């Protein structure tokens, strides 16, 4: 158990809908990262937050957004969902953005039908 | 840009066989290198790491040596067990701006160990 929690574990929704994925980092970790894992693209970095502020962006679509709250939990919002958004979404955390060791949550499996 | 190439799977071995999963990388700057493991239904776990050339990372019988001259970080284990069945990801981390570090992953190699 990494100490990173993600909810929900599974999510099934229809095209065009909007969903929110939630992540709680390990106790004491201030930095949160979001990744998308799909069969064709592999594991892709989406976005990073540190202490409530966005720090880095990867291959994140404009339809996707995220935020980190004062209690350090983070939410990833996915809107206007398409079939191709079906994937595993992982959250990871680290103590600080300059610490390269990241601890991953169990993931949320999103299925868009 | 930064990239990681690892051998495509799936890899199927018998228990107690020798394992090698090849990994090579391209990076700007001086990366740190990692192997992560993903067991069925779980998130990724850090298996081992190496932060400079000729470093050897090791954990749970797995080893990998940071080879700068060949830009490689091959994963090895002398005798695999059924419980090692998982997907293995090679990854590198470089400073991406300011004090941030960005992880770049390979596509993963599925290992199945049969009794």
């Amino acid at each position: 158990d990494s100490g990173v929690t993600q909810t929900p574990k599974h999510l099934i929704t229809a095209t065009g809908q909007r969903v929110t994925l939630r992540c709680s980092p390990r106790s004491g970790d201030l930095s949160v990262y979001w990744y998308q894992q799909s069969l064709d693209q592999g594991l892709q970095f989406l976005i990073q937050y540190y202490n409530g502020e966005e720090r880095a962006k990867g291959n994140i679509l404009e339809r996707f957004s995220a935020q980190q709250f004062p209690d350090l939990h983070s939410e990833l919002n996915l809107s206007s969902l398409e079939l191709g958004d079906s994937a595993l979404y992982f959250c990871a955390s680290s103590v600080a953005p300059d610490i390269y060791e990241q601890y991953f949550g169990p993931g949320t499996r999103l299925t868009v039908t | 840009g930064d990239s990681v190439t690892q051998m495509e799977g799936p890899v199927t071995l018998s228990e107690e066989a020798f394992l090698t999963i090849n990994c090579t990388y391209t990076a700007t700057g001086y990366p740190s290198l990692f192997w992560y493991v993903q067991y069925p239904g779980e998130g990724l776990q850090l298996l081992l790491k190496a932060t400079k050339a000729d470093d050897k990372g090791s954990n749970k019988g797995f080893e990998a040596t940071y080879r700068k001259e060949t830009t490689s970080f091959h994963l090895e284990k002398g005798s695999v067990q059924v419980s090692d069945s998982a997907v293995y990801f090679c990854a590198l981390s470089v400073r991406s701006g300011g004090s941030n570090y960005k992880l770049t992953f390979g596509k993963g190699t599925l290992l199945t160990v049969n009794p």
Side-chain angles (χ1 to χ4, degrees), chain A residues 39-43, chain B residues 4 6 8 87-89 105-109:
Chain A
L39 280 174
D40 53 343
Q41 296 291 326
L43 198 57
Chain B
V4 175
Q6 60 181 103
E8 299 218 2
V87 180
Y88 292 82
F89 292 90
F105 289 88
K107 289 193 177 291
T109 302

Side-chain angles (χ1 to χ4, degrees), chain A residues 2 9 33 35 37 39-45 48 55-56 58 88 90 97-107, chain B residues 32 34 36 38 41-46 49-51 87 89 93 95-107:
Chain A
S2 67
K9 194 166 183 178
Y33 310 77
Y35 292 87
Q37 185 180 34
L39 280 174
D40 53 343
Q41 296 291 326
L43 198 57
Q44 301 262 324
F45 166 70
Q48 176 197 3
R55 287 299 292 260
L88 258 174
F90 287 107
D98 59 347
I99 302 297
Y100 48 67
E101 286 192 42
Q102 297 178 20
Y103 295 85
F104 282 74
Chain B
S32 295
F34 306 85
Y36 279 83
Q38 184 178 24
E42 297 183 14
L44 279 72
Q45 299 175 26
L46 180 63
K49 69 177 188 285
T51 59
V87 180
F89 292 90
S93 175
R95 194 181 289 269
S96 66
S99 60
N100 292 337
Y101 284 85
K102 175 189 165 189
L103 271 177
T104 301
F105 289 88
K107 289 193 177 291

Side-chain angles (χ1 to χ4, degrees), chain A residues 60-100:
Chain A
I60 188 166
L61 299 172
E62 285 191 11
R63 300 183 285 108
F64 296 0
S65 64
Q67 54 184 327
Q68 186 179 27
F69 294 88
D71 67 352
L72 301 176
H73 91 270
S74 177
E75 293 181 356
L76 179 67
N77 301 296
L78 314 176
S79 61
S80 303
L81 285 168
E82 301 175 0
L83 294 177
D85 298 327
S86 296
L88 258 174
Y89 290 84
F90 287 107
C91 169
S93 71
S94 64
V95 170
D98 59 347
I99 302 297
Y100 48 67

Side-chain angles (χ1 to χ4, degrees), chain B residues 13-69:
Chain B
L13 297 173
S14 298
E15 208 164 23
E16 298 183 5
F18 184 85
L19 168 71
T20 299
I21 301 178
N22 290 336
C23 171
T24 57
Y25 67 89
T26 303
T28 52
Y30 204 155
S32 295
L33 302 174
F34 306 85
W35 278 99
Y36 279 83
V37 59
Q38 184 178 24
Y39 297 104
E42 297 183 14
L44 279 72
Q45 299 175 26
L46 180 63
L47 180 60
L48 54 83
K49 69 177 188 285
T51 59
K52 59 183 188 296
D54 300 324
D55 262 3
K56 178 185 280 189
S58 61
N59 186 23
K60 299 182 182 180
F62 291 90
E63 294 182 339
T65 301
Y66 190 145
R67 299 286 187 205
K68 191 172 180 217
E69 63 277 11

